[in-house]
């Protein structure tokens, strides 16, 4: 069978203030029609750079080296002109990006067909546009209102929109970069049904993911990247999970969920009867010093909204919050920071980072009182540099230096910046909302180690996660939310995935 696309000796580098940095070093692979190629690797291994090189969607500072080849329909895509490449994008090769960038003020329908809107005499045919979008969503079994502005969608809903948009092109090749990072289990099933249909139609799929369980379920072939190099390619039936992890990280990880000896103390946070109209009600719980408290539940159960209300981002109508036994009124994030609370948000691209700014600039946004002079009028560059380097070393952030743009880093390294900038505030209570979303197993392991270390130091931690294995592997206790209320609570020693899920769906 003739491959639909062949990548030969792909070499890509980026020009930075510190010189040239190689991102991809001689990667080669091919994909056949109707074949699903799974691509795995640690953060910074070159997965996304490789996929974006296929469509030349790299930054202006990127250079694809001579003798690199991306053969599609008998041509090397690296050499075709921009006009022809634009026609190939979407029509023949489409891509679902890890970091979503929709137009927030446009509707679902308008985003789905942006640049492809039906026109007559230069006038937009709105009715036809809406009908096309509605039919496409129905075909894919996705429940989205076509007239909803994208800015009102959840992260999960935006991901479904991006998937629907990519599939709507009816391309020969679909590249999926971490497509399930924000999806619930039921939404993942919808995506896998789509993939099965595309496979039957002869569509080639390049599926980039850090979730090995998904790849073992859907992939035909799996390739491992590390440090920009292709380490191995295996038929899926001839490889196991442990081999994959070892090849990804270059070492053996015996236990993905590290544990430490720690002392759990007295309650430092107590929430009583918290209510936000139409979102959650009667929320009461406590969090102890040195404890890792997990919150499980479906998307829309109110998990994120509870912590953003405690943090002062959203207003709650009634209820009380106590810190170390003293009632407090937290009316803004600034007030929360003053009370030694930190929040790592779910969506790092929209809420956690300025992707166009440097690592240093991002790191220091939470500690301007420490890194500025004359009451904030001037920045103290030396103080900013010292704080940034300290946290980069602590978080093992892979970058050319503190002046590298955050947007040029891998998802795992971006997440480390978000966590690191909040740790610079020296919090006593840390809220982590989906802290390992969209990052690979090696970066996850480092985040887990950090969480356990913080708990051992006496920090009190709340971790929201849609991945039940990590809640059971990291937390001491789990709260289960359903329909805006706490439907259950269990000690991890007694909890199982089945017990948690039964509470989530209302069987208990």
């Amino acid at each position: 069978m003739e491959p639909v696309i062949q990548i030969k000796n792909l070499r890509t580098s980026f020009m930075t203030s510190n010189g040239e940095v190689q991102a991809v070093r001689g990667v080669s692979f091919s994909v056949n029609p109707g074949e699903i190629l799974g691509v795995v690797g640690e953060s910074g291994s070159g997965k996304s750079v490789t996929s974006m090189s296929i469509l030349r969607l790299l930054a202006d500072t990127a250079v694809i080296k001579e003798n690199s080849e991306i053969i599609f329909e008998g041509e090397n895509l690296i050499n075709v002109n921009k006009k022809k490449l634009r026609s190939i994008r979407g029509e023949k090769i489409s891509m679902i990006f890890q970091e979503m960038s929709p137009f927030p003020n446009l509707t679902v329908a308008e985003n789905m067909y942006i640049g492809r809107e039906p026109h007559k005499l230069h006038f937009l045919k709105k009715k036809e546009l809406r009908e096309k979008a509605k039919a496409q969503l129905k075909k894919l079994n996705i429940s989205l209102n076509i007239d909803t502005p994208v800015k009102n969608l959840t992260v999960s809903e935006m991901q479904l929109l991006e998937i629907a948009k990519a599939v709507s092109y009816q391309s020969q090749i679909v590249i999926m970069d971490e497509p399930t990072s924000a999806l619930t289990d039921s939404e993942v099933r919808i995506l896998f049904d789509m993939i099965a249909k595309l496979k039957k139609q002869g569509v080639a799929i390049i599926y980039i993911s850090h979730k090995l369980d998904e790849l073992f379920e859907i992939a035909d072939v799996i390739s491992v990247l590390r440090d920009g190099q292709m380490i191995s390619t295996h038929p899926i039936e001839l490889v196991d999970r442990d081999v994959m992890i070892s090849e990804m990280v270059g070492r053996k990880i015996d236990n993905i969920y590290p544990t430490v000896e720690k002392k759990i103390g007295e309650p430092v946070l107590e929430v009583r009867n918290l209510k936000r109209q139409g979102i959650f009600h009667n929320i009461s719980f406590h969090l102890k010093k040195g404890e890792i408290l997990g919150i499980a539940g479906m998307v829309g159960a109110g998990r994120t909204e509870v912590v953003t209300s405690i943090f002062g981002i959203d207003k709650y109508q009634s209820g009380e919050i106590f810190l170390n036994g003293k009632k407090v009124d937290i009316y803004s994030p600034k007030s929360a920071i003053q009370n030694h609370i930190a929040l790592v948000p779910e969506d790092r691209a929209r809420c956690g980072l300025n992707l166009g700014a440097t690592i240093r600039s991002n790191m220091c946004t939470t500690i301007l009182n420490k890194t500025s002079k004359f009451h904030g009028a001037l920045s103290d560059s030396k103080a900013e540099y010292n704080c940034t380097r300290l946290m980069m070393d602590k978080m093992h952030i892979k970058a050319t230096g503190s002046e590298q743009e955050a947007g040029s880093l891998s998802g795992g390294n971006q997440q480390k910046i978000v966590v690191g900038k909040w740790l610079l505030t020296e919090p006593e209570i840390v809220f982590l909302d989906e802290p390992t979303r969209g990052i690979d197993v090696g970066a996850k392991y480092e985040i887990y180690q950090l969480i356990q270390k913080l708990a051992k130091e006496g920090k009190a931690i709340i971790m929201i996660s849609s991945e039940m294995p990590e809640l059971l592997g990291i937390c001491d206790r789990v709260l289960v939310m359903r329909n805006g209320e706490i439907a259950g609570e269990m000690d991890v020693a007694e909890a199982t995935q089945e017990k948690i899920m039964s509470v989530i769906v209302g069987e208990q």
Side-chain angles (χ1 to χ4, degrees):
M1 183 183 294
E2 187 72 21
V4 67
I5 192 167
Q6 292 177 286
I7 285 79
K8 299 179 180 179
N9 192 37
L10 180 65
R11 295 181 300 130
T12 304
S13 64
F14 287 89
M15 299 304 298
T16 72
S17 58
N18 294 326
E20 186 176 10
V21 177
Q22 283 199 305
V24 178
R25 308 162 185 260
V27 167
S28 300
F29 62 86
S30 61
V31 193
N32 297 318
E35 183 177 63
I36 302 173
L37 170 68
V39 181
V40 296
E42 283 196 284
S43 296
S45 63
K47 305 187 300 297
S48 295
V49 173
T50 298
S51 64
M52 288 190 289
S53 296
I54 294 173
L55 295 176
R56 298 223 307 269
L57 294 170
L58 301 170
D60 292 337
T61 54
V63 178
I64 298 178
K65 299 291 187 177
E66 292 182 7
N67 301 321
S68 297
E69 294 182 277
I70 301 174
I71 307 300
F72 176 73
E73 294 186 337
E75 286 189 285
N76 186 355
L77 294 185
I78 294 171
N79 298 329
V80 302
N81 60 54
K82 290 184 178 181
K83 183 178 179 180
K84 184 171 184 178
L85 189 63
R86 279 197 298 269
S87 70
I88 291 173
R89 294 173 190 167
E91 291 181 16
K92 297 183 178 181
I93 305 175
S94 57
M95 182 168 179
I96 300 166
F97 296 93
Q98 178 181 0
E99 300 299 345
M100 299 165 284
S101 55
F103 295 88
N105 293 319
L106 299 184
T107 66
V108 167
E110 290 164 344
N111 265 277
M112 190 179 300
Y113 289 97
I114 191 79
R116 301 179 291 154
E117 304 91 337
H119 288 87
K120 185 176 182 179
L121 299 176
H122 303 292
F123 290 97
L124 175 64
K125 299 167 72 173
K126 290 186 178 181
K127 183 178 179 180
E128 183 178 334
L129 172 68
R130 294 177 72 258
E131 288 174 349
K132 286 179 67 175
K134 192 172 183 179
Q136 179 68 11
L137 291 173
K138 183 177 180 181
K139 179 182 176 181
L140 299 175
N141 197 28
I142 295 176
S143 299
L144 291 177
N145 187 326
I146 59 172
D147 298 316
T148 300
V150 166
K151 64 183 178 183
N152 295 336
L153 298 182
T154 65
V155 175
S156 171
E157 290 169 334
M158 278 193 285
Q159 187 71 73
L160 288 174
L161 170 59
E162 290 295 311
I163 291 167
K165 179 180 176 180
V167 174
S168 72
Y169 284 97
Q170 299 182 323
S171 304
Q172 296 175 37
I173 302 169
V174 179
I175 303 169
M176 301 184 177
D177 191 357
E178 303 286 1
T180 66
S181 60
L183 301 185
T184 64
D185 289 342
S186 59
E187 290 165 343
V188 170
R189 301 323 310 173
I190 292 173
L191 174 61
F192 284 4
D193 287 343
M194 289 184 213
I195 289 174
K197 291 175 183 176
L198 293 173
K199 180 181 171 78
K200 286 183 179 179
Q201 294 167 10
V203 176
I205 296 172
I206 299 174
Y207 191 98
I208 300 167
S209 179
H210 66 281
K211 298 181 179 180
L212 295 182
D213 291 342
E214 292 181 359
L215 291 172
F216 279 106
E217 181 175 349
I218 66 169
D220 300 304
V221 180
I222 191 164
S223 292
V224 180
L225 290 176
R226 187 173 74 239
D227 296 329
Q229 295 179 298
M230 184 69 77
I231 301 301
S232 66
T233 297
H234 306 276
I236 197 68
E237 66 272 12
L238 298 182
V239 69
D240 62 31
R241 183 185 178 91
D242 290 341
V243 170
M244 286 288 95
I245 293 175
S246 295
E247 290 183 342
M248 285 168 62
V249 302
R251 63 189 187 280
K252 188 174 181 181
I253 297 179
D254 295 318
N255 183 10
I256 190 64
Y257 301 114
T259 58
V260 297
E261 291 186 10
K262 60 187 179 184
K263 181 180 179 181
I264 296 178
E266 295 298 314
V268 293
L269 169 67
E270 187 177 357
V271 176
R272 298 180 187 173
N273 301 316
L274 210 64
K275 178 182 178 180
R276 185 175 157 203
Q277 189 66 40
I279 306 296
F280 57 77
H281 59 278
N282 195 31
I283 300 297
S284 298
F285 66 89
H286 65 271
L287 173 67
K288 296 178 179 179
K289 183 176 182 178
E291 181 182 36
I292 304 172
L293 175 64
I295 303 182
M298 294 290 191
V299 172
R303 302 171 304 170
T304 294
E305 291 79 4
V306 167
V307 296
T308 55
S309 293
I310 296 172
F311 193 70
I313 295 174
D314 301 310
K315 306 301 180 186
Y316 56 91
Q317 276 73 50
S318 61
E320 298 174 309
I321 299 173
F322 294 83
L323 295 177
N324 297 308
K326 181 181 178 181
K327 184 179 177 181
V328 294
D329 293 316
I330 299 174
Y331 46 85
S332 68
K334 180 179 179 181
S335 175
I337 294 170
Q338 290 171 343
N339 281 285
H340 306 289
I341 303 175
L343 168 62
V344 176
E346 175 185 14
D347 189 342
R348 61 175 172 265
R350 287 200 303 169
C351 306
L353 288 173
N354 178 353
L355 295 175
T358 65
I359 297 172
R360 174 176 58 83
S361 177
N362 274 283
M363 279 284 191
C364 297
T365 53
T366 57
I367 53 167
L368 295 178
N369 60 321
K370 298 179 182 178
T371 59
S372 60
K373 301 176 181 177
F374 308 113
H375 305 289
L378 292 174
S379 62
D380 185 339
S381 298
K382 184 177 180 180
E384 287 184 347
Y385 177 80
N386 290 337
C387 289
T388 302
R389 287 307 317 177
L390 175 70
M391 195 53 64
M392 286 181 70
D393 291 342
K394 181 175 182 178
M395 300 297 297
H396 303 116
I397 294 172
K398 296 178 182 178
T400 58
S402 61
E403 298 308 299
Q404 186 171 349
E405 281 192 7
S408 68
L409 298 176
S410 65
N413 284 305
Q414 289 178 5
Q415 186 70 348
K416 290 177 184 179
I417 295 173
V418 181
V419 175
K421 79 174 188 179
W422 283 107
L423 293 184
L424 284 171
T425 67
E426 300 179 354
E428 295 301 320
I429 298 170
V430 182
F431 297 153
L432 302 170
D433 194 352
E434 301 286 6
T436 65
R437 182 179 75 83
I439 64 176
D440 64 82
V441 65
K444 279 187 176 184
Y445 183 72
E446 291 185 77
I447 295 290
Y448 296 150
Q449 285 182 310
L450 176 66
I451 293 171
Q452 292 285 19
K453 183 174 183 290
L454 293 174
K456 185 176 182 179
E457 293 171 355
K459 312 294 186 188
I461 298 167
I462 289 180
M463 184 168 82
I464 298 171
S465 177
S466 298
E467 297 188 30
M468 283 188 279
E470 77 175 10
L471 288 176
L472 295 173
I474 293 297
C475 299
D476 302 296
R477 192 163 47 98
V478 177
L479 301 178
V480 184
M481 290 194 66
R482 184 179 71 243
N483 298 330
E485 62 181 356
I486 295 176
E489 177 184 336
M490 57 190 81
D491 191 273
V492 162
E494 303 169 352
T496 64
Q497 291 191 52
E498 291 75 18
K499 286 181 179 180
I500 293 174
M501 183 55 68
S502 67
V503 178
I504 288 175
V505 300
E507 292 180 0
Q508 291 185 6

